[in-house]
Amino acid sequence: MKKTISAILCLTIIIVMAASVWAKEKYTVAVLPFSLHSADNIEYVRQGIGDMLSSRIAVADKIVVTRKEAAQEALKKSGAKDLSMKDAQDIGKKLNADYVVWGSITKIGKSISIDGKLIDVASGKSDVGISSESQTLDEVIPKINDFSQRVVMHITGSAPQTQAAATATVAAPGTSRESQIIAGMKTGGRKATFTSMINPDFIDATDPLARKRGFWMSQQFKAEFNGMDIGDVNRDGKNEVVVIDRHNIYIYQKIDNDLKLLNEIKGKFYHQYISVDVADINKDGTPEIIVTSLNNRLLNSFVLQYENDEYKTIASNIRYFLRVIDTSSGIPMLLGQTYGIDKVFETQIYEMIWKDGKYVAGDKQKIPLGLSIYGLTMDTLGSGTTEKIIALDELDYLMIIDKTNKPMSRILSFGFSPDELIWRSDTVYGGSNNYIANIDRQKLQSQEAEQNESAFANLRILMFDTNKDGKKEMIIVKNISSVGRIFKNLKLFTSSEIYNLEWDGLGMAENWRTKRINGYVADYCFKDVDNDGAPEIVLALVKSVGASIGSKSHIVVYELEVSQ
């Protein structure tokens, strides 16, 4: 009997010791975006709560929180809108998480209800939760703090060491990341700017004030515009509007309320013009007209310049996609990118320079392989002197990335949390009908290959300090499709909006946007179109396309009351 008792005691001691050895040293928690139930746009509350939970649940050497982008992607792939516990558990398994935090936010009038749970992925049980109703965000924040502390205690068995500091942060926000999150929630996720005063057709993100100006629309053109830029291309001291359709160049000048055609330069019917830019890259004092042209899969881009009262080709058969961007220094840079073998834009990006009478590739840019020169720019975002890459990805999500040689396949790899990815939007921007089929007709590639490899030349991203506070804001288009973006090779854009966004340290906050515009924007710029000394937002707007109804395009101008 004594031997039996001794054996049981020894076995118990061994099990206890083994449990301490086998106890997991570090746990992974996935914080899923809470579902929203509100007639108001309270996305900023969801983002603030998600960021706060992620910040306060993470414990050094004990709890790791899954990267926000990975959680969002997993939620999107699940296809579920209102998650059940089983849905959340399945997502947790796919993310290799030990626990999942999920819930919902409901706003009715001024009342905000928060319901959340912590789910053990292995068992599918929830022993920690929150269910609260508040009248202000000041009441919500301490409850989220309490919930996050109980989550940490449940997982680790001890209270977080930063509890006192976290409580102090709520009472007296400072300059930490958490205090910025709290401030962002209280101000609606954006700064209290009043820049929508600049135009009556702009919707202010914070306060609909009295507005002053409207927009101007040109006569109708029976063409589908593909691109547009503005500059003094004929040395007359006034800016011209340079527009392209599929294989023609048109040069206009705005005179009073009319858009007068000055020149038409016809191209070959088998050429496909992808983009046009106006900039003085060769530094001779006259801006060039830079056109990206494609024949089948052969790039034959070219550059025109005004000489002796006519436009002459000063460079041709350039085997690069070309795009001019404005750098943070204000000096335009011409980017070039060759045609990829499998994917159109799966190639390195270079600065193109004028050398020995030619445009040639200069320095390779520290831009991830897989990004396109279309839908890309670089700026410091008002923080220091280091430029960041601002780009639209293949799915039209807006990203801010540190300069890096890493390919996009690694930066956006599922389950990884790269340091280079600073921010990625939750909504899409850009969107283009400028389609590059990527079919080698001589080799008769299959339809499947076409669908896998085709691409679009996305819209520009513009940076400009419209309110003269020393920090540039982003002006970006969102083209809107009645079928969304579910078809890879078919967009069907029918309307558009223009947004002014500003980096607030956590993300891009909306200052203003235009009312919805009937038609999609093929290209746009922020330049002085009417030669009054002030820049305007100028759109190449396509109202309709197709053989049955005909293509119809306009030039649309929004005037800004730019701060002095």
Side-chain angles (χ1 to χ4, degrees):
M1 183 68 179
K2 289 182 179 180
K3 290 182 179 180
T4 302
I5 294 173
S6 298
I8 292 172
L9 287 173
C10 289
L11 182 60
T12 302
I13 292 170
I14 291 171
I15 291 172
V16 171
M17 291 177 65
S20 64
V21 172
W22 294 335
K24 193 163 183 174
E25 294 183 357
K26 188 178 288 188
Y27 297 88
T28 300
V29 177
V31 178
L32 301 182
F34 281 32
S35 59
L36 293 179
H37 305 284
S38 173
D40 301 326
N41 182 5
I42 56 170
E43 176 63 32
Y44 62 92
V45 176
R46 170 161 59 185
Q47 292 191 19
I49 287 175
D51 289 342
M52 185 179 294
L53 286 170
S54 297
S55 174
R56 295 188 174 178
I57 290 173
V59 178
D61 300 323
K62 292 184 179 181
I63 300 177
V64 175
V65 176
T66 301
R67 184 168 60 91
K68 180 169 68 172
E69 290 77 16
Q72 291 171 342
E73 186 67 22
L75 178 61
K76 187 184 300 182
K77 287 184 177 180
S78 73
K81 292 185 178 180
D82 291 317
L83 296 181
S84 64
M85 284 186 62
K86 181 65 167 57
D87 293 331
Q89 182 186 17
D90 290 342
I91 292 174
K93 289 178 180 178
K94 291 177 181 178
L95 291 170
N96 294 319
D98 300 295
Y99 295 90
V100 172
V101 175
W102 69 289
S104 64
I105 305 168
T106 303
K107 184 175 184 292
I108 301 176
K110 294 184 178 180
S111 175
I112 301 176
S113 299
I114 310 292
D115 293 285
K117 295 180 183 295
L118 173 73
I119 299 176
D120 186 319
V121 173
S123 66
K125 295 181 179 179
S126 173
D127 296 321
V128 180
I130 178 176
S131 182
S132 70
E133 184 172 328
S134 308
Q135 294 300 312
T136 67
L137 284 172
D138 286 322
E139 297 175 21
V140 171
I141 292 166
K143 293 173 182 178
I144 294 297
N145 180 46
D146 175 70
F147 176 49
S148 62
Q149 289 174 10
R150 288 188 288 113
V151 167
V152 172
M153 289 181 66
H154 179 80
I155 295 174
T156 65
S158 60
Q161 295 179 355
T162 58
Q163 179 175 350
T167 304
T169 302
V170 174
T175 58
S176 67
R177 172 169 170 77
E178 272 201 5
S179 64
Q180 289 178 321
I181 293 170
I182 294 168
M185 290 171 65
K186 289 182 177 180
T187 59
R190 56 184 74 87
K191 293 186 176 182
T193 59
F194 301 129
T195 50
S196 71
M197 290 179 65
I198 62 183
N199 192 291
D201 284 275
F202 292 178
I203 300 170
D204 199 294
T206 57
D207 195 4
L209 302 178
R211 286 91 180 234
K212 299 179 181 179
R213 301 193 179 190
F215 66 90
W216 173 88
M217 180 181 288
S218 74
Q219 66 270 35
Q220 178 181 292
F221 300 98
K222 294 182 179 180
E224 181 183 0
F225 289 165
N226 274 5
M228 177 203 64
D229 205 352
I230 293 173
D232 181 11
V233 294
N234 64 3
R235 302 179 183 175
D236 66 347
K238 297 180 180 179
N239 283 338
E240 286 77 42
V241 182
V242 182
V243 179
I244 58 170
D245 61 15
R246 186 173 178 85
H247 41 250
N248 298 299
I249 302 171
Y250 307 93
I251 301 173
Y252 298 95
Q253 191 170 79
K254 187 177 185 297
I255 302 174
D256 297 326
N257 284 323
D258 186 35
L259 201 62
K260 181 181 178 182
L261 178 64
L262 303 182
N263 295 88
E264 179 179 351
I265 305 169
K266 292 185 177 294
K268 304 294 185 183
F269 73 91
Y270 49 82
H271 287 169
Q272 178 187 358
Y273 291 172
I274 302 296
S275 66
V276 63
D277 292 278
V278 173
D280 184 14
I281 300 300
N282 61 13
K283 309 299 182 187
D284 68 349
T286 301
E288 303 101 83
I289 299 174
I290 303 165
V291 179
T292 297
S293 177
L294 195 61
N295 178 13
N296 192 5
R297 296 202 303 176
L298 178 66
L299 283 160
N300 53 2
S301 302
F302 60 93
V303 179
L304 303 177
Q305 189 163 30
Y306 193 72
E307 296 178 0
N308 300 321
D309 297 328
E310 63 177 338
Y311 294 95
K312 294 183 178 180
T313 302
I314 63 171
S316 60
N317 295 321
I318 304 172
R319 307 304 185 196
Y320 287 86
F321 292 103
L322 302 173
R323 173 98 291 172
V324 174
I325 65 169
D326 288 320
T327 61
S328 56
S329 65
I331 300 173
M333 176 189 290
L334 177 60
L335 297 179
Q337 186 173 23
T338 57
Y339 203 113
I341 297 174
D342 295 320
K343 293 185 176 181
V344 176
F345 296 116
E346 196 78 15
T347 55
Q348 298 289 347
I349 295 175
Y350 295 84
E351 179 183 6
M352 304 297 290
I353 60 174
W354 178 257
K355 184 178 180 181
D356 299 330
K358 297 179 180 179
Y359 294 90
V360 297
D363 293 336
K364 184 177 77 171
Q365 297 300 294
K366 208 171 180 182
I367 297 174
L369 184 72
L371 285 180
S372 163
I373 60 171
Y374 301 109
L376 179 145
T377 192
M378 292 182 280
D379 193 75
T380 62
L381 295 172
S383 55
T385 58
T386 304
E387 284 188 329
K388 307 291 190 296
I389 299 165
I390 306 166
L392 292 164
D393 65 15
E394 289 182 338
L395 300 176
D396 292 342
Y397 288 96
L398 184 62
M399 300 180 298
I400 299 174
I401 308 171
D402 279 323
K403 287 187 174 182
T404 178
N405 290 320
K406 280 186 181 179
M408 288 304 299
S409 57
R410 285 187 59 191
I411 291 175
L412 296 181
S413 291
F414 184 73
F416 287 87
S417 181
D419 295 332
E420 293 82 7
L421 182 60
I422 299 171
W423 178 81
R424 189 174 187 232
S425 67
D426 295 321
T427 186
V428 293
Y429 294 94
S432 171
N433 276 352
N434 205 345
Y435 182 56
I436 303 171
N438 196 24
I439 305 173
D440 189 341
R441 293 179 177 84
Q442 295 177 349
K443 294 183 179 180
L444 297 176
Q445 289 186 336
S446 67
Q447 179 70 18
E448 181 180 357
E450 175 189 348
Q451 292 177 347
N452 288 337
E453 299 171 3
S454 59
F456 289 84
N458 220 326
L459 296 175
R460 306 173 194 267
I461 299 174
L462 304 179
M463 304 296 296
F464 195 85
D465 183 9
T466 62
N467 56 15
K468 301 299 181 183
D469 64 352
K471 181 180 175 183
K472 292 182 181 179
E473 307 106 60
M474 179 187 299
I475 300 174
I476 190 167
V477 165
K478 177 193 286 188
N479 280 324
I480 301 165
S481 171
S482 57
V483 297
R485 282 159 165 80
I486 58 175
F487 300 112
K488 185 174 182 180
N489 296 342
L490 184 64
K491 301 296 185 177
L492 296 177
F493 294 118
T494 56
S495 59
S496 52
E497 295 170 337
I498 317 298
Y499 286 76
N500 178 287
L501 308 177
E502 185 173 0
W503 179 252
D504 65 2
L506 297 175
M508 298 303 295
E510 179 187 328
N511 287 329
W512 52 258
R513 67 183 185 275
T514 61
K515 296 175 183 177
R516 185 164 292 195
I517 303 164
N518 181 26
Y520 76 85
V521 176
D523 204 350
Y524 67 113
C525 57
F526 188 52
K527 295 184 178 180
D528 182 10
V529 67
D530 54 8
N531 298 291
D532 65 351
E536 296 87 23
I537 296 178
V538 186
L539 314 178
L541 185 71
V542 179
K543 299 291 287 292
S544 65
V545 295
S548 59
I549 59 176
S551 297
K552 300 174 184 177
S553 299
H554 297 264
I555 298 297
V556 177
V557 179
Y558 284 95
E559 293 195 12
L560 304 186
E561 192 73 39
V562 179
S563 302
Q564 300 298 321

